[in-house]
Amino acid sequence: MAELRTEEEQVEALKRWWKENGLSLIAGVVIAGAGVLGWNAWQGYQENQATAASMRYQQLVNLTAGNTLDEAQLPEARALVEEIVEEHGKTLYADLARLVDARLAVAQGDLAGARERLQALADADSRGYVGGLARLRLGRLLVADGDAEAALDALESGVPEALAAQRAEVRGDALHALGREADAAVAWREALDLAETNDQPLYGVQLKLDNLGLASGPDNQGLDS
C-alpha cells in the first residue's frame, strides 16, 4: 500500500505542476499514463493479496481438518483466523475463516461466542452464499442448544436458493425439536424434493423421515452443505 500511496502522490504532483503551468493537454496525457501504471500496480497488489489470503486459509483448513481439533492447536488456529481477517478482511477467505472461527468456538464450548460470530457473518453478508451458510450453521447450533424457535427465525430469510434444500432440512430439525412432527416431515420431504431437483442430495434426511414412522419419499443420500 505504501508503494501505491507514493505513486498516487506522484500523480497528484504531476497534475498540480501541469495545471500551474497551463499545459492541460499534455497534463492529460501524462496523467493517463500514470493512471495505467497505477492500475497495473493495483492489479498486481490485489493478486498478491489474494495469493497470500489463499495460502493462509489453506493453512487454516489443514490445521482444522477432521471432526476433532487438538486443544494445543486451537490457539494457532485462532491466530490464523485473526491474521486472515485483519489482513484480508474484504476477501472471501476472511468470511470463510470466520465460519471456521465459529466452529472453533463450539470446539471450546463457547456456544454463545459461536452464535455471535455466525450472526455477525449472516448480517454482514445478508444475501450471499457465505451468509446463507452462516445462517444454516446458526440454525443447527440453535437447535442443538435447545432454542429451536430462534433457529426458525434465523432461517426465515437470507438463505439463497442454492441452499434451499439444506434450509428445509434444518427447518425440519427445528420443527421436530419443537414436537411438531407432521410439520417436520413436510420440511424434510421438501428438502429431499429440492435436493433431487437440483441434483444436490443430502445425507440422513430420509433416515429422519423413517424414524418418524410416517410415509415418505424415496431414499436420497449424498453430501450436505
Side-chain angles (χ1 to χ4, degrees), residues 55-66 69 73 80:
M55 291 175 62
R56 290 292 183 270
Y57 179 69
Q58 189 58 54
Q59 284 182 261
L60 180 62
V61 169
N62 292 340
L63 185 63
T64 59
L69 186 65
Q73 294 175 305
L80 268 174

Side-chain angles (χ1 to χ4, degrees), residues 168 171-172 175 180-193 209 212 214:
R171 285 193 72 255
L175 292 166
R180 296 166 55 181
E181 293 189 352
D183 291 333
V186 170
W188 286 334
R189 290 193 194 102
E190 179 187 359
L192 290 176
D193 289 342
L209 278 168
L212 286 180
L214 301 174

Side-chain angles (χ1 to χ4, degrees), residues 55-96:
M55 291 175 62
R56 290 292 183 270
Y57 179 69
Q58 189 58 54
Q59 284 182 261
L60 180 62
V61 169
N62 292 340
L63 185 63
T64 59
N67 295 324
T68 59
L69 186 65
D70 191 299
E71 188 69 26
Q73 294 175 305
L74 283 171
E76 182 181 355
R78 300 303 285 270
L80 268 174
V81 168
E82 184 175 347
E83 179 184 346
I84 294 168
V85 170
E86 285 187 357
E87 296 187 8
H88 312 285
K90 294 183 179 181
T91 67
L92 173 62
Y93 296 108
D95 287 343
L96 294 175

Side-chain angles (χ1 to χ4, degrees), residues 145-222:
D145 200 29
D147 199 352
E149 289 286 2
L152 291 175
D153 290 341
L155 297 170
E156 190 65 30
S157 62
V159 180
E161 283 301 309
L163 296 170
Q166 291 85 350
R167 173 181 177 271
E169 180 191 359
V170 181
R171 285 193 72 255
D173 295 345
L175 292 166
H176 183 259
L178 292 170
R180 296 166 55 181
E181 293 189 352
D183 291 333
V186 170
W188 286 334
R189 290 193 194 102
E190 179 187 359
L192 290 176
D193 289 342
L194 286 168
E196 182 176 4
T197 299
N198 298 323
D199 193 22
Q200 196 181 47
L202 302 172
Y203 277 126
V205 178
Q206 185 62 52
L207 182 60
K208 294 175 185 179
L209 278 168
D210 292 343
N211 288 339
L212 286 180
L214 301 174
S216 59
D219 188 33
N220 189 348
Q221 294 186 333

